[in-house]
Amino acid sequence: MRNTADLDLTTDAGILSYLVTTLPADFPRAVEVTRLSGGHANFVWRVKFAGTMEDGKNTAIVKHAEPFLADDRDVLLGTIRMKYEYEIYTLFANRSPLLPYLPEDGPIHVPKIFHYDPATPVLLVQDIGVHLDLKTFFSTHKPSDDEAVAMGRALGTFLVDFHSKAADTESKAKLMEPFENEQARMIIQAAVHDRVGTILAGVNSLSADTLQAATESAKAFGAELMESRETLIMGDFWPGNIIVESDATGRYLGKLWIVDWEVCRYGLRAMDVGQFSAEAYLLSHFRNPVARSMLTAFHRAYVTGFLKGKPEGLRRTFMRQVSVQFGSHIVAWAEFAGWTKDQQKLEEILKVAATYIENATEQDNWESGELAELADFLHSTDN
């Protein structure tokens, strides 16, 4: 095996040379790489091989991590992040009983691992094809209401199963240490909850009381996220990390691929639920109202799987946590992600978010606002 220290793995030539000289002898020869857009943290390419991989295709996706962001070298980030993605993909590939079983003919999938080199680090994974992520799919296509419901149901069912399996005693004993991922905890707290007060301070129409209450609530929840080891969470469960398999006409083919698991860790399940809820709400509000049907189906599936027959105290705690994460995520990303360039609309959505953070313990707020369906489902699973 060649010493790769002299290769610049951030370049096309460097990564191709690495693949040619370093992959195991039973792999087909890499002949071409094409840099892919959208990789913020890592350098990502589609690699073409002279022969077929084990999935029958002659292409795969290669990811390389440097100790900084691929799209901003001034931002430092430990390369250990790639280890967590490798670990979770391996567990799924081995059909670990600690995680949900994902049948080949089912609606939810994760890519298969072909090769991992922790020293570089380089990860070679299955190429799932050229498809749109869920956010882009709803922004540029017109899925039917039935398709939106099917997607939401599949995602909610998967997520509650994933959380529930990883929360049991056996799973925690085996998975908690490998998925501690302290780096991810610190990143999320700094990028989301610690920024809420600064961002809301720029909303002129927000009262001083709401600003203070929302800031304190978000910071407290950020600290709660740092301490909690409730269950294994995906950690970045948003439509941009969910790929929609569709045909040439844009018709949904019944398969969703969940990718980019680098911030997977033990934490609060409400983090995943709140983040997806916020993104799906923004998608329905600014891009495509049909996304609301997806969100409703997601809530119904998740709540039914998690809270049916559970005590009222657990329901209220869960709703409080989801509400704060819902609002905090919107505050942190609404402007940065470019949901609207209209300053008035931006301020309106930030005020909605601030209200959810401030009043997360108020049941009346749940039942009349953007999370009304979730509140309804909480009450409909008493038995």
Side-chain angles (χ1 to χ4, degrees):
M1 181 180 293
R2 174 182 171 180
N3 184 348
T4 60
D6 59 336
L7 296 177
D8 182 354
L9 300 186
T10 69
T11 66
D12 293 1
I15 198 68
L16 181 58
S17 181
Y18 168 87
L19 294 169
V20 169
T21 59
T22 308
L23 289 180
D26 58 345
F27 275 55
R29 182 179 177 83
V31 295
E32 180 183 325
V33 294
T34 303
R35 180 78 183 271
L36 301 180
S37 61
H40 301 298
N42 301 311
F43 297 86
V44 184
W45 294 264
R46 174 171 282 109
V47 53
K48 183 178 180 181
F49 293 95
T52 57
M53 302 295 286
E54 63 181 74
D55 64 346
K57 297 179 180 178
N58 69 342
T59 59
I61 301 299
V62 60
K63 302 174 69 173
H64 167 61
E66 288 283 343
F68 48 77
L69 294 183
D71 62 359
D72 189 346
R73 298 188 179 213
D74 291 331
V75 179
L76 302 182
L77 187 64
T79 59
I80 193 174
R81 62 189 186 268
M82 192 161 281
K83 177 187 87 75
Y84 298 110
E85 186 162 40
Y86 165 73
E87 295 285 358
I88 197 71
Y89 282 165
T90 300
L91 286 169
F92 276 118
N94 292 339
R95 298 185 174 178
S96 168
L98 305 176
L99 298 181
Y101 169 64
L102 302 180
E104 290 295 328
D105 60 351
I108 302 295
H109 301 263
V110 298
K112 292 180 172 60
I113 290 283
F114 294 141
H115 175 75
Y116 175 56
D117 178 359
T120 19
V122 167
L123 186 67
L124 189 68
V125 301
Q126 179 183 8
D127 183 1
I128 61 179
V130 181
H131 299 291
L132 300 177
D133 63 66
L134 190 63
K135 178 179 178 179
T136 307
F137 186 79
F138 270 86
S139 298
T140 60
H141 289 64
K142 296 181 178 180
S144 68
D145 191 72
D146 287 346
E147 289 174 328
V149 168
M151 292 181 195
R153 184 188 304 117
L155 291 167
T157 300
F158 162 76
L159 192 64
V160 71
D161 196 14
F162 176 73
H163 288 162
S164 297
K165 282 185 175 294
D168 69 34
T169 303
E170 180 185 2
S171 295
K172 281 188 171 182
K174 295 180 178 179
L175 298 178
M176 191 178 295
E177 184 176 349
F179 288 99
E180 180 58 27
N181 205 348
E182 189 68 16
Q183 175 176 259
R185 296 178 200 283
M186 297 174 66
I187 290 171
I188 298 301
Q189 185 178 36
V192 180
H193 307 93
D194 286 353
R195 295 174 58 227
V196 165
T198 301
I199 295 171
L200 290 180
V203 180
N204 296 325
S205 56
L206 200 66
S207 72
D209 287 345
T210 295
L211 173 60
Q212 180 178 351
T215 301
E216 292 175 354
S217 182
K219 279 186 172 291
F221 184 65
E224 190 176 354
L225 285 173
M226 287 291 289
E227 296 301 321
S228 174
R229 304 295 186 272
E230 178 188 12
T231 190
L232 189 61
I233 63 174
M234 194 274 181
D236 200 13
F237 197 73
W238 74 292
N241 283 340
I242 300 166
I243 307 301
V244 180
E245 193 164 319
S246 59
D247 63 17
T249 68
R251 182 174 61 90
Y252 172 51
L253 296 178
K255 286 188 177 182
L256 300 170
W257 295 78
I258 303 176
V259 301
D260 291 344
W261 290 72
E262 292 183 353
V263 292
C264 181
R265 63 196 182 278
Y266 264 80
L268 280 175
R269 64 174 72 225
M271 166 80 191
D272 283 343
V273 177
Q275 180 177 7
F276 185 83
S277 298
E279 286 284 335
Y281 164 67
L282 290 168
L283 193 56
S284 69
H285 188 77
F286 288 112
R287 299 289 186 270
N288 188 338
V290 176
R292 188 67 184 229
S293 296
M294 175 180 66
L295 178 57
T296 299
F298 170 80
H299 283 160
R300 182 186 297 276
Y302 193 94
V303 169
T304 300
F306 174 45
L307 289 173
K308 187 175 179 62
K310 299 290 176 62
E312 179 66 20
L314 180 61
R315 296 162 187 261
R316 294 185 69 84
T317 296
F318 176 71
M319 194 69 205
R320 172 186 62 80
Q321 293 167 341
V322 172
S323 296
V324 179
Q325 180 60 32
F326 174 84
S328 297
H329 186 88
I330 291 174
V331 171
W333 300 113
E335 181 175 18
F336 183 84
W339 283 105
T340 179
K341 296 183 182 299
D342 185 310
Q343 191 61 31
Q344 182 177 347
K345 290 181 179 179
L346 177 62
E347 290 208 0
E348 288 173 356
I349 208 71
L350 291 178
K351 287 173 67 177
V352 168
T355 300
Y356 266 91
I357 304 170
E358 178 189 19
N359 300 321
T361 59
E362 299 296 327
Q363 187 168 330
D364 289 346
N365 187 64
W366 309 340
E367 295 177 342
S368 61
E370 308 307 335
L371 295 178
E373 292 99 338
L374 179 53
D376 288 344
F377 299 144
L378 285 172
H379 296 305
S380 67
T381 55
D382 290 335
N383 299 309

